[in-house]
């Protein structure tokens, strides 16, 4: 019964008789877990809103940037100039509210974006 309860999402399995403090501790643990899950869901929802604000080209550029490609490689891949890539990259950073490339990579991972498709 304990295993079934835990697999179904139980935080704790209390057997009778149990102390009041054990019940309170289990409730606090469940509330803490729920708060963390809600915070993560809210963060992902906010990231999705930012990502949806990107144009199709900016999404392409973002995908290639987070895959580790340099601006000149992205320009070659997309058949555009390096300056254009830099502009799109700047738009991506601004719209995603990323302060660094590492942060943008973490955002892409949280969004579970598919890897860049190279032509």
């Amino acid at each position: 019964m304990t295993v079934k309860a835990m697999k179904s999402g139980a935080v704790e399995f209390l057997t009778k008789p149990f102390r009041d403090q054990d019940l309170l501790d289990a409730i606090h643990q469940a509330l803490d877990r729920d708060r963390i899950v809600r915070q993560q869901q809210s963060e992902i929802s906010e990231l999705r809103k930012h990502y949806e604000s990107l144009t199709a080209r900016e999404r392409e550029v973002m995908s290639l940037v987070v895959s580790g490609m340099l601006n000149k490689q992205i320009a070659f891949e997309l058949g555009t100039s390096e300056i254009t890539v830099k502009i799109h990259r700047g738009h991506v950073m601004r719209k995603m509210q990323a302060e660094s490339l590492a942060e943008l990579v973490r955002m892409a991972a949280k969004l579970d974006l598919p890897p860049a498709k190279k032509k």
Side-chain angles (χ1 to χ4, degrees):
M1 202 181 330
T2 304
V3 173
K4 185 177 180 182
M6 295 305 239
K7 284 185 177 181
S8 296
V11 174
E12 185 67 57
F13 191 85
L14 302 174
T15 56
K16 292 182 181 180
F18 57 84
R19 297 178 309 133
D20 291 346
Q21 189 59 49
D22 292 338
L23 178 59
L24 290 172
D25 290 345
I27 291 169
H28 285 292
Q29 185 180 2
L31 290 172
D32 288 343
R33 283 188 188 178
D34 183 64
R35 181 181 40 76
I36 290 168
V37 167
R38 286 176 187 269
Q39 185 177 0
Q40 289 170 342
Q41 289 172 340
S42 174
E43 183 181 330
I44 290 173
S45 176
E46 191 67 24
L47 283 176
R48 279 197 184 104
K49 285 180 190 173
H50 293 310
Y51 185 73
E52 289 168 4
S53 75
L54 300 177
T55 65
R57 182 59 106 182
E58 289 166 348
R59 289 179 189 184
E60 280 182 292
V61 170
M62 178 177 169
S63 180
L64 295 168
V65 165
V66 300
S67 75
M69 292 178 74
L70 301 172
N71 288 343
K72 67 169 103 179
Q73 293 170 315
I74 296 170
F76 179 77
E77 185 76 25
L78 299 178
T80 187
S81 72
E82 193 173 343
I83 300 293
T84 302
V85 171
K86 287 180 183 180
I87 291 168
H88 286 307
R89 187 174 178 157
H91 291 170
V92 168
M93 296 296 282
R94 189 184 83 255
K95 288 180 180 181
M96 292 299 293
Q97 298 179 0
E99 306 235 348
S100 67
L101 175 58
E103 187 177 6
L104 189 66
V105 170
R106 283 191 295 274
M107 289 175 177
K110 285 180 183 178
L111 289 169
D112 200 23
L113 298 178
K117 295 179 182 175
K118 296 178 184 176
K119 293 179 183 178

